[in-house]
Amino acid sequence: MSSTGAGSPHPAPRTRLARDPGTGPSARRRPLAAPRVHRSNALHPGAWWLWALGLGTAASRTTNPLLLALLIGVAGYVVAARRTSAPWARSYGAFVKLGLAVIGIRLVFAVFLGSPIPGTHLLVTLPEVPLPEWAQGVRIGGRVTVEGLVFALYDGLKLAALLICVGAANALASPARLLKSLPGALYEAGVAVVVAMTFAPNLIADVRRLRAARRLRGRPDKGLRGLAQVGLPVLEGALERSVALAAAMDARGYGRTAEVPAAVRRATAVLTLGGLVGVCAGTYGLLTADGARYGLPVLLAGVAAALGGLWLGGRRSVRTRYRPDVWGVRAWLVAASGAAVAAVMIRAGSYDPSALAPGVVPLAAPTLPLWPAAGVLLGLLPAFVAPAPPLAETPSKEAS
């Protein structure tokens, strides 16, 4: 007789399911869904940067506004799906605004400084300022054509897409964990880069906190007066935070190096500089038609020398790594998606360059090439395979 029957006086207790979001009932209902992120399964920050650099490489190969808009949409979707509520994740909105500012500046330059693109659709003729002979080739004012503005819009959108891709990496990858993963030879430079990268998000957080405090007190938080009254406390807080960070880094031994023989130092310098020269010469050889034979061997030799220099330079570092990040399958997938987007765009550029760079003379509406667009959609893979942020840390809306 079963213990769970209707006549049993003591029915068997139900098995309590685990409440872990990554292994709970919700995960069993969606077996293919990515797990919730925690310390042991967090994605390697280098994978996010490789993915973003792949998108940026793809953006640098085209001026088609439809493809650029698709790249921006892919980056924005992945950021919205996988970013956390960490301070660095709030910087994505600032990069988007910076991209819009770049487009605006590019258009303003095209209007007032002219454009090298000839056009027949005259929009307006501005008064032209006469310039001396030594300033030939520079023009202030004059004819403003639709073709010139469209060319400036395409060019500005390309720069904005690059900035937004970098902003996506900045919002998704933890700077501190990225610093921990750097080779020992690059550690000191990495510290400076990480401190610079975390400065802007903290500054934005301070501005938002002070503006909210002023609004609660019924004081204006916009305009020149509000900006002036918020700017001083923000700069004061940034200075105090910098002093505290310097003291904390000094107390933890940052910047201390081990003594190495002089021969090792000289070998490190020779290998590093020689490797960088080899990488530059090999890359130049690959990009030119005459240097295709020696380009790849020189490039490989340069990379080997640079890696040897980094390995020797790491002997000066006396630090140890606590719980190093693991480069797992999901990190490979995320990095491969960015590389695939870049490879598809590079291949499309050699196969059909006119589809990636639509002309503006004569003026025509751009078309969306199907294969490059399908390749760009590969960049959405991190939104499905990367560990999802905890529900409590999922931002509800875009940071403004």
Side-chain angles (χ1 to χ4, degrees), residues 38 98 124 145 171 175-177 192 219 238 248 251 265 267 286 292 327 340 354 387:
H38 50 80
L98 182 60
V124 66
T145 61
R177 291 177 51 214
R219 298 177 180 175
R265 293 199 301 270
L286 290 177
W327 189 283
S354 61

Side-chain angles (χ1 to χ4, degrees), residues 17-32:
L17 300 176
R19 294 297 183 187
D20 185 1
T23 59
S26 59
R28 287 201 296 272
R29 285 195 298 268
R30 297 185 304 162
L32 298 180

Side-chain angles (χ1 to χ4, degrees), residues 54-55 57-72 74 337-358 367-380:
L55 295 186
T57 303
S60 67
R61 309 291 293 192
T62 179
T63 56
N64 190 320
L66 300 179
L67 287 176
L68 291 173
L70 190 60
L71 280 167
I72 294 173
V74 167
S337 67
V341 174
V344 169
M345 198 65 72
I346 292 173
R347 174 59 181 164
S350 60
Y351 180 73
D352 188 10
S354 61
L356 301 187
T367 58
L368 182 64
L370 294 181
W371 286 110
V376 170
L377 293 180
L378 293 175
L380 290 172

Side-chain angles (χ1 to χ4, degrees), residues 56 66-67 176 202 237 243 273 302 305 309-310 317 366 378-379 385 391:
L66 300 179
L67 287 176
N202 289 326
V243 173
L273 293 178
L310 292 177
S317 177
L378 293 175
V385 300
L391 292 176

Side-chain angles (χ1 to χ4, degrees), residues 279-380:
V279 169
C280 295
T283 305
Y284 178 77
L286 290 177
L287 294 178
T288 58
D290 297 334
R293 290 181 301 175
Y294 66 84
L296 184 60
V298 172
L299 177 62
L300 293 178
V303 170
L307 291 178
L310 292 177
W311 178 74
L312 283 179
R315 297 177 63 180
R316 297 178 66 244
S317 177
V318 295
R319 65 191 177 93
T320 58
R321 292 183 181 180
Y322 177 64
R323 294 194 301 187
D325 291 316
V326 179
W327 189 283
V329 176
R330 297 183 185 277
W332 280 112
L333 291 175
V334 171
S337 67
V341 174
V344 169
M345 198 65 72
I346 292 173
R347 174 59 181 164
S350 60
Y351 180 73
D352 188 10
S354 61
L356 301 187
V360 297
V361 181
L363 198 61
T367 58
L368 182 64
L370 294 181
W371 286 110
V376 170
L377 293 180
L378 293 175
L380 290 172

